[in-house]
Amino acid sequence: MNRLLKLVLLTVLAVGVALPTAYTTLIHSERDIAIGAHDATVQPTFTGHARIEFGPLIPDIRLPATTPLGLGTDIRLGGSEVTDLEQLIARDAVIASQPEGEIEAVRSTMIAMLVDAALRGIGVALLVVLIAVLAWQAIGHDRRRAIWAAARHPHRRQVIAAAAVTAVAIGALTLVATPERPRGSGTQWVPIGSVFPDLPADPVLDKVEIAQGASTRGSRAVVEGALATYRTSVAFYGRLAVTAETADLRAPLDGETTALVVTDRHDNIGMDPVARAIADRVNARIVIDLGDDTSNGASWETFSINSLAREFDGFDVVSVAGNHDTGGTVAKQMVDKGFNLLDGEPVKVGGIRFLGSSDPRSSGLTSGYNGDPSDNSAAIRAQDENLMKVACDAGDVSVIAVHSPSSAKSVAASGCVDLVLTGHLHRQVGPTVIEGANGRSTTTLTTGSTGGAVYAFALGSKLRRPAQVAIVTFADGKPIGLQPVTFNTGGMIEPADYTRLATSSRQPLVARP
């Protein structure tokens, strides 16, 4: 048998094994992830739709998946730490109004399952081919010739071709006939607008189909409330983002760069496109996240970091976790998303030397907020002292980034850094210039809650309180100016005057020997 024929037969064998194996592995795969306020299970399908199963009280919905080969997904929403149904639905509606982060999380999960299925298919195919080759070699040349002579057929070329076709057919039939995991059948889908005719035109809702049946009829009021929350959120934050695109902000001059400060978002992902519009307005390519991206660091709150990472894709993100980002989930997710999570050692990002660390406290929803005595805890004092020692020893730190102002009192007073950025208080404090013991000055700024948070809550269809970001301007790696930007609850944007820093003209500090 010539080499070409051998190669063809081995290729047919490999493909006939790999495709059914990969397909079977894929359709029986599932992954547990957090979506919105829920634990959820994602499973691939070939329906061409993304179906979201809410459970017995809320009707299922589906949207076109717009993926090749009719690939789709079933998303089964599970439990949540939010026990009140109306509050849960309201949160889901607000999250759905800014879905890009969650869509990216599902897409990444699907890609991971596709890769795993493909690798398994390839692995099994290679194993089968290897066994076939070893068996071929084990039989030996003389015995193969004897077998071939005994099996001689006047039309052996046709026999070989028929065998190849049979192998391909078996593989194809296996591929098609492999049973999928039961997902329910007979569901009737109708456009959501036919069930809720008062819905205005919306580029997302126009594509949504909803399952007909008793669930739809029985939960109509709940769904209508969720849709109303969704519309309010899309409208409010959409208008605010458009307004931000033309905000009257100081543009950087030649040789200057800018960074955007966000803090205390507390799950309010509605503000992320607004913050991005401000960043684009001043050509910022760095985001400084000062923590408290969540309300209590729960696993279901991963949507908050998903949204921030998706909205600022391509930016350098410097981050710390806040006192409400407890349990390690948020910090781990920051690292997974490629953020530069500060850990007490100087790092250079975008030519700027940063130093900081995450808030050392564990808290409930109000512990340590707004001047609470726990701010003076031993852990906070130790954090402050450690940062001061590292900053003064390094001598070239430009920016301290921490969550609480109490974490940087000593380092701010030392004169060893140019700028101290903090959050935590949910209100602006500064810019304030502090004359250091070494004769150098340090500017401090506490930025208000970017989420417009009331205590540790900010997620909602519109701002609960005024929100804020801050723009930091740099030249040659040193901060030279600040401009806070406030968003009021009526949807107006109020940029503060640009403040030139007194530290911008001073000479670098010589590091301690």
Side-chain angles (χ1 to χ4, degrees):
M1 189 180 296
N2 62 56
R3 292 183 178 181
L4 179 59
L5 184 56
K6 291 178 184 178
L7 182 60
V8 170
L9 290 176
L10 288 176
T11 302
V12 170
L13 177 62
V15 173
V17 171
L19 288 180
T21 302
Y23 177 80
T24 303
T25 300
L26 181 63
I27 65 172
H28 288 84
S29 298
E30 60 180 33
R31 296 283 176 88
D32 294 329
I33 65 173
I35 297 178
H38 301 265
D39 296 326
T41 301
V42 175
Q43 184 177 358
T45 68
F46 282 89
T47 62
H49 288 83
R51 173 174 177 163
I52 304 176
E53 302 174 15
F54 292 94
L57 298 179
I58 307 297
D60 297 348
I61 64 171
R62 72 175 189 177
L63 299 91
T66 62
T67 52
L69 303 177
L71 186 64
T73 181
D74 275 358
I75 303 171
R76 299 190 298 274
L77 300 184
S80 173
E81 295 185 12
V82 183
T83 57
D84 182 86
L85 178 60
E86 291 187 3
Q87 185 183 49
L88 177 62
I89 296 300
R91 290 191 179 191
D92 284 341
V94 172
I95 295 167
S97 69
Q98 304 292 337
E100 289 80 8
E102 302 307 278
I103 292 172
E104 183 60 32
V106 173
R107 181 183 293 112
S108 298
T109 301
M110 289 287 291
I111 290 173
M113 286 190 283
L114 282 167
V115 171
D116 288 349
L119 291 176
R120 182 172 182 179
I122 292 171
V124 172
L126 290 176
L127 180 62
V128 171
V129 168
L130 179 62
I131 292 173
V133 171
L134 292 176
W136 179 268
Q137 296 296 328
I139 292 173
H141 178 73
D142 293 339
R143 186 172 298 177
R144 290 198 304 270
R145 288 181 64 86
I147 294 172
W148 186 247
R152 186 175 296 278
H153 189 279
H155 302 291
R156 65 181 182 182
R157 289 185 180 274
Q158 290 86 338
V159 172
I160 293 172
V165 172
T166 301
V168 174
I170 291 173
L173 287 172
T174 304
L175 183 66
V176 173
T178 303
E180 292 194 37
R181 180 174 295 181
R183 292 180 174 82
S185 59
T187 303
Q188 298 296 316
W189 298 96
V190 296
I192 194 170
S194 67
V195 180
F196 302 96
D198 294 333
L199 282 177
D202 181 275
V204 175
L205 293 181
D206 289 345
K207 300 176 184 178
V208 173
E209 293 180 318
I210 191 168
Q212 280 189 316
S215 177
T216 302
R217 294 192 298 270
S219 54
R220 186 182 183 93
V222 176
V223 175
E224 286 179 338
L227 291 173
T229 300
Y230 169 88
R231 293 195 303 270
T232 301
S233 181
V234 169
F236 180 84
Y237 291 110
R239 287 193 301 267
L240 196 56
V242 170
T243 304
E245 293 174 356
T246 57
D248 185 16
L249 305 173
R250 179 190 182 272
L253 305 177
D254 289 343
E256 297 179 350
T257 60
T258 53
L260 184 77
V261 178
V262 298
T263 184
D264 297 276
R265 294 168 56 249
H266 288 297
D267 294 328
N268 187 358
I269 61 176
M271 280 298 295
D272 291 344
V274 181
R276 172 60 190 266
I278 294 294
D280 289 343
R281 182 70 172 155
V282 295
N283 299 319
R285 300 309 300 168
I286 297 176
V287 172
I288 305 171
D289 177 11
L290 301 178
D292 271 9
D293 290 292
T294 66
S295 290
N296 58 10
S299 60
W300 68 268
E301 293 176 285
T302 55
F303 72 87
S304 183
I305 299 299
N306 286 342
S307 175
L308 189 67
R310 173 65 179 81
E311 198 64 51
F312 289 96
D313 183 33
F315 283 65
D316 289 320
V317 181
V318 177
S319 67
V320 295
N323 62 302
H324 288 289
D325 299 323
T326 56
T329 297
V330 173
K332 180 180 183 301
Q333 195 184 12
M334 286 176 171
V335 174
D336 291 343
K337 295 297 183 182
F339 294 6
N340 297 280
L341 181 65
L342 301 180
D343 61 359
E345 295 296 330
V347 296
K348 182 171 282 190
V349 179
I352 303 160
R353 196 77 162 166
F354 289 92
L355 174 65
S357 57
S358 295
D359 197 291
R361 291 167 295 183
S362 296
S363 74
L365 291 180
T366 57
S367 175
Y369 171 76
N370 201 8
D372 188 278
S374 64
D375 269 1
N376 298 317
S377 67
I380 290 292
R381 291 197 300 273
Q383 180 187 24
D384 188 10
E385 292 169 2
N386 289 338
L387 291 176
M388 179 182 67
K389 181 179 184 304
V390 172
C392 293
D393 286 347
D396 61 349
V397 174
S398 293
V399 179
I400 291 286
V402 291
H403 179 63
S404 172
S406 296
S407 296
K409 289 182 177 179
S410 297
V411 68
S414 69
C416 293
V417 300
D418 298 305
L419 177 64
V420 173
L421 297 173
T422 61
H424 185 59
L425 301 182
H426 295 191
R427 67 178 189 273
Q428 179 183 339
V429 179
T432 302
V433 178
I434 299 175
E435 295 298 330
N438 60 1
R440 298 175 61 189
S441 60
T442 295
T443 301
T444 66
L445 174 66
T446 298
T447 302
S449 167
T450 302
V454 177
Y455 293 94
F457 296 102
L459 185 63
S461 58
K462 54 186 179 180
L463 289 174
R464 298 167 181 263
R465 281 185 176 175
Q468 192 173 71
V469 298
I471 302 162
V472 186
T473 303
F474 295 89
D476 299 323
K478 296 294 183 180
I480 63 169
L482 296 169
Q483 187 173 28
V485 182
T486 300
F487 312 88
N488 66 38
T489 56
M492 300 296 292
I493 299 179
E494 301 169 353
D497 292 336
Y498 176 81
T499 301
R500 178 166 291 276
L501 302 189
T503 58
S504 60
S505 60
R506 72 188 192 186
Q507 296 299 313
L509 178 69
V510 177
R512 293 178 179 176

